[in-house]
Amino acid sequence: MATTYLQLTNELLREMNEVVLTSSNFSSAIGLQAHAQDCVNRAYLDIVLEEPQWPFLSVGESGSTDPLYGNVTVETVANQRWYEIKAASSSLVDDYGYVDWDDFYMTTVGVSGETAPYVSQNLKFITLEEWKDYHRAKENQDDAGDANGGEPRRVFRSSDGRNFGLSPIPDKVYKVHFFAFNQPTQLSAHGDTIVFPDIYKTVLLARARYYVHQFKENIQPAALALEEYRRGLRLMKNALMFPAPKYIKDDRMRLV
């Protein structure tokens, strides 16, 4: 079971030798108890914002057809260039926190009515300026936006960051896959839980302890807590972000 905001705050309060909170008085905390809540929240956001591609921020598992396709799928419409990155979102606040623009993949696999041989290819990311300068004129027939349809080969981001465009404009239905990651939110209610595994809660507490000592102007304990946090964060990244070996070793015996 994931660690709650209340449990983290109380663990920090016990380290400070202060009175712990309960679920009934958590929302009305004042003084040091309220400061402990703030320190836990700051520490939590420091960790989840450190890497936009944390595995625990992924919007879902990789695709069922092929794990390398992505965790978000958008179906194109013939003669439609622009698509919302997150269709259920109503504002930038609710959008994905990070989108891997270098890993857009387009295919007809899984499209109704399509049979082998399928179309499958990576979409090259270009900037909006590149598309305007080198592709828009030849793709658009007039200023109204009518375009010459074709098999998309490029993807670009809209100016507001909420849509993606395809070039050339799709001539039929394709499936566009990509990887996206959720936008982290701060802890609020006493029962809110952290999004990462519980074994890394010590990293969060080290960071929270740093903020407490910094507030109290305890320079040496703050420095020790900061070093503990940095070491823990390093281990966290190595385990969750960079699990592959950095080198290849040939341990075969050589006969001379």
Side-chain angles (χ1 to χ4, degrees):
M1 185 177 178
T3 307
T4 65
Y5 190 14
L6 174 62
Q7 290 171 326
L8 289 166
T9 303
N10 282 343
E11 194 162 339
L12 182 62
L13 286 170
R14 283 192 292 270
E15 290 187 22
M16 298 162 60
N17 199 27
E18 296 291 339
V19 178
V20 297
L21 296 167
T22 65
S23 57
S24 57
N25 66 4
F26 188 82
S27 60
S28 58
I30 58 174
L32 282 172
Q33 280 78 11
H35 180 62
Q37 291 176 340
D38 294 340
C39 290
V40 167
N41 233 331
R42 287 180 67 184
Y44 176 67
L45 290 176
D46 283 347
I47 293 173
V48 294
L49 293 174
E50 177 73 20
E51 290 285 349
Q53 290 179 276
W54 282 121
F56 47 76
L57 293 179
S58 174
V59 301
E61 291 188 29
S62 300
S64 56
T65 307
D66 187 326
L68 296 180
Y69 279 4
N71 56 19
V72 177
T73 301
V74 176
E75 270 201 5
T76 66
V77 178
N79 299 320
Q80 179 179 322
R81 186 184 303 284
W82 294 99
Y83 301 87
E84 279 190 307
I85 297 173
K86 187 177 181 181
S89 172
S90 58
S91 70
L92 191 63
V93 177
D94 302 317
D95 283 352
Y96 297 128
Y98 180 84
V99 173
D100 189 352
W101 291 96
D102 289 326
D103 204 0
F104 270 65
Y105 188 77
M106 184 199 73
T107 182
T108 54
V109 174
V111 174
S112 178
E114 291 288 340
T115 57
Y118 297 105
V119 173
S120 293
Q121 64 181 14
N122 293 323
L123 294 175
K124 179 185 176 184
F125 175 75
I126 61 172
T127 64
L128 184 61
E129 288 70 26
E130 272 186 273
W131 176 73
K132 288 177 180 177
D133 292 343
Y134 303 109
H135 303 288
R136 181 169 63 176
K138 60 185 177 183
E139 290 179 7
N140 288 355
Q141 292 179 345
D142 53 38
D143 292 338
D146 294 331
N148 297 314
E151 190 177 291
R153 295 185 298 276
R154 296 170 290 272
V155 61
F156 47 93
R157 184 183 181 186
S158 64
S159 298
D160 61 4
R162 306 200 62 231
N163 299 271
F164 70 85
L166 297 174
S167 170
I169 192 169
D171 57 346
K172 61 178 182 178
V173 177
Y174 298 93
K175 286 197 173 184
V176 176
H177 304 277
F178 58 91
F179 285 95
F181 298 81
N182 286 317
Q183 195 162 196
T185 56
Q186 66 179 2
L187 303 170
S188 178
H190 68 85
D192 287 353
T193 56
I194 56 177
V195 293
F196 48 82
D198 285 344
I199 58 172
Y200 299 114
K201 73 174 184 178
T202 54
V203 183
L204 187 155
L205 288 170
R207 185 62 162 174
R209 200 181 308 121
Y210 161 76
Y211 285 127
V212 169
H213 290 308
Q214 188 184 52
F215 174 74
K216 292 185 175 182
E217 297 184 350
N218 296 333
I219 306 303
Q220 188 173 1
L224 292 173
L226 182 60
E227 180 56 33
E228 182 184 346
Y229 165 71
R230 287 173 174 169
R231 183 172 62 251
L233 189 63
R234 214 162 36 239
L235 294 173
M236 194 173 173
K237 286 183 179 181
N238 287 337
L240 297 177
M241 297 293 295
F242 316 115
K246 295 181 179 179
Y247 62 90
I248 298 176
K249 182 175 69 174
D250 187 353
D251 57 1
R252 293 174 297 179
M253 295 181 64
R254 298 181 65 184
L255 298 177
V256 180

